[in-house]
Amino acid sequence: MYDYLRTQAKEKLKITDLDYGKLVKDKSLEEVLKLTVQNYYRMSAQNDMLSFYKIIYSTRTTNVVAAQIMCEETEKMLLETKNLFLCITSSSKNICKRH
């Protein structure tokens, strides 16, 4: 359910998986960070996602599945942030790899 809602929210907003190499190439650090945070916020603020998050947050201490979903989302965010920062730091060499 969570993956479906997340995918639907991204498709509705036309948010695709970003090529960080292209993203950081001609933008300032501030522009890159604002764009990525804005995209994540817009995806998370979709009505279905927001309702789902409310349920997950309110039940995470008593529901193993809710806690697992939160952990998975946190892992996704950390991995994407790591990949973005790796790309930013190596952008002068044009080396951007996703781990």
Side-chain angles (χ1 to χ4, degrees):
M1 174 78 148
Y2 169 69
D3 287 330
Y4 173 78
L5 290 174
R6 193 176 203 279
T7 301
Q8 291 298 105
K10 287 173 75 172
E11 287 176 3
K12 188 175 185 179
L13 295 170
K14 297 181 173 91
I15 297 173
T16 59
D17 289 333
L18 295 173
D19 179 343
Y20 292 138
K22 290 178 184 176
L23 179 69
V24 302
K25 188 174 182 180
D26 297 322
K27 292 183 178 59
S28 70
L29 177 60
E30 181 180 0
E31 290 172 318
V32 170
L33 294 176
K34 281 183 177 179
L35 178 65
T36 55
V37 170
Q38 180 185 34
N39 280 344
Y40 185 79
Y41 175 79
R42 288 176 40 223
M43 182 193 73
S44 299
Q46 291 293 305
N47 285 335
D48 290 340
M49 286 294 289
L50 197 54
S51 297
F52 189 73
Y53 281 143
K54 286 179 184 178
I55 293 168
I56 295 300
Y57 289 147
S58 66
T59 61
R60 68 187 183 270
T61 59
T62 58
N63 184 323
V64 174
V65 175
Q68 183 179 8
I69 290 170
M70 285 192 64
C71 289
E72 288 173 8
E73 180 62 17
T74 301
E75 289 293 322
K76 287 177 188 177
M77 289 171 38
L78 289 171
L79 181 60
E80 289 300 316
T81 302
K82 176 184 171 185
N83 289 331
L84 176 62
F85 286 167
L86 285 171
C87 196
I88 289 169
T89 59
S90 64
S91 64
S92 62
K93 303 176 212 169
N94 287 329
I95 299 172
C96 294
K97 296 179 184 175
R98 294 185 89 114
H99 291 86

